[in-house]
Amino acid sequence: IKEVVNMEVEAARFIGAGLMFGLAAIGAGVGAGVLSSKLIESIARQPELEDQLRPTYFLGIGLVDAVPMISVGLAFYVLFVA
């Protein structure tokens, strides 16, 4: 019975890590897509603000991509340490 419980815990770790990897990728893709579409929309409406919008865009993309990197780090922690 103890071996079955260990196998279930191991399976739960793999499922949890897989969900963390997958949801992080989906979230980053959606976030970057929405942010990019809003940048293009803003530049199309007011082209003279392009120089002001671009640095804000890159800061936003960096923040959007930082969260999945943290999630991937936690997923590796769950897989190999916990």
Side-chain angles (χ1 to χ4, degrees):
I1 292 178
K2 192 173 187 179
E3 293 174 4
V4 173
V5 172
N6 281 342
M7 287 175 47
E8 289 176 356
V9 169
E10 190 81 13
R13 284 177 41 201
F14 285 122
I15 291 171
L19 283 172
M20 290 173 77
F21 285 128
L23 292 176
I26 291 170
V30 170
V34 168
L35 196 57
S36 298
S37 71
K38 294 300 179 181
L39 174 73
I40 293 169
E41 183 180 322
S42 299
I43 291 173
R45 287 178 186 234
Q46 294 182 337
E48 67 274 1
L49 293 179
E50 180 178 2
D51 292 336
Q52 294 174 352
L53 294 172
R54 193 167 306 237
T56 306
Y57 166 76
F58 285 120
L59 178 66
I61 285 290
L63 293 173
V64 165
D65 284 341
V67 173
M69 289 180 202
I70 294 168
S71 177
V72 167
L74 288 174
F76 278 124
Y77 177 79
V78 166
L79 276 178
F80 297 114
V81 177

